[in-house]
């Protein structure tokens, strides 16, 4: 553990990316609220909840062929920052539009997650 901490102190860029990933995932993960959205806000029942839970995975599978383009980004740090911004905007949009657009927002969430995880 101490060796890992020394490594992070020696490589501040990696520490910054890990911190950015943690904050985006911890503060912007709507997954725990999906049952409440499905039942109380969207009124879509268990089948709709299943779609909500699967939408991120479906988006990841659909957008996976574009993963190869990510390695060609010259300024990868900027790409990660933009991906986190897209993630946050899609989470906000999901909150504002509780209608069929949510599936599209979750697909874009999956793309943003794939970019910053690459």
């Amino acid at each position: 553990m101490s060796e890992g901490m020394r490594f992070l102190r020696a490589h501040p860029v990696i520490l910054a990316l890990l911190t950015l990933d943690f904050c985006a995932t911890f503060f912007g993960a709507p997954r725990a609220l999906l049952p409440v959205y499905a039942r109380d806000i969207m009124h879509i029942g268990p089948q709709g909840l299943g779609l909500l839970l699967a939408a991120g995975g479906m988006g990841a599978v659909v957008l996976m062929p574009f993963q190869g383009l990510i390695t060609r980004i010259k300024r990868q740090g900027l790409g990660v920052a933009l991906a986190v911004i897209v993630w946050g905007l899609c989470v906000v949009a999901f909150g504002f539009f509780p209608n069929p657009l949510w599936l599209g927002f979750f697909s874009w969430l999956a793309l943003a997650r794939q970019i910053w995880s690459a």
Side-chain angles (χ1 to χ4, degrees):
M1 179 104 165
S2 62
E3 184 177 333
M5 295 307 287
R6 279 193 302 272
F7 176 82
L8 288 176
R9 272 188 243 117
H11 297 88
V13 173
I14 294 175
L15 177 61
L17 287 174
L18 287 173
T19 304
L20 182 67
D21 182 41
F22 170 77
C23 289
T25 303
F26 185 76
F27 295 112
R31 193 168 187 86
L33 295 174
L34 292 182
V36 175
Y37 269 88
R39 185 188 66 229
D40 298 335
I41 297 170
M42 299 173 142
H43 308 290
I44 54 177
Q47 292 82 12
L49 175 60
L51 282 174
L52 278 172
L53 292 170
M58 290 186 300
V61 168
V62 168
L63 297 168
M64 187 55 71
F66 302 104
Q67 184 82 18
L69 299 174
I70 296 167
T71 60
R72 296 184 193 103
I73 296 174
K74 290 182 181 177
R75 297 179 64 191
Q76 292 186 350
L78 179 63
V80 169
L82 290 175
V84 170
I85 290 169
V86 168
W87 170 269
L89 291 174
C90 287
V91 170
V92 169
F94 172 73
F96 280 119
F97 301 107
N99 57 31
L101 287 174
W102 55 263
L103 190 58
F105 292 127
F106 266 86
S107 296
W108 283 104
L109 281 171
L111 174 65
R113 181 69 182 163
Q114 288 295 332
I115 288 173
W116 98 58
S117 294

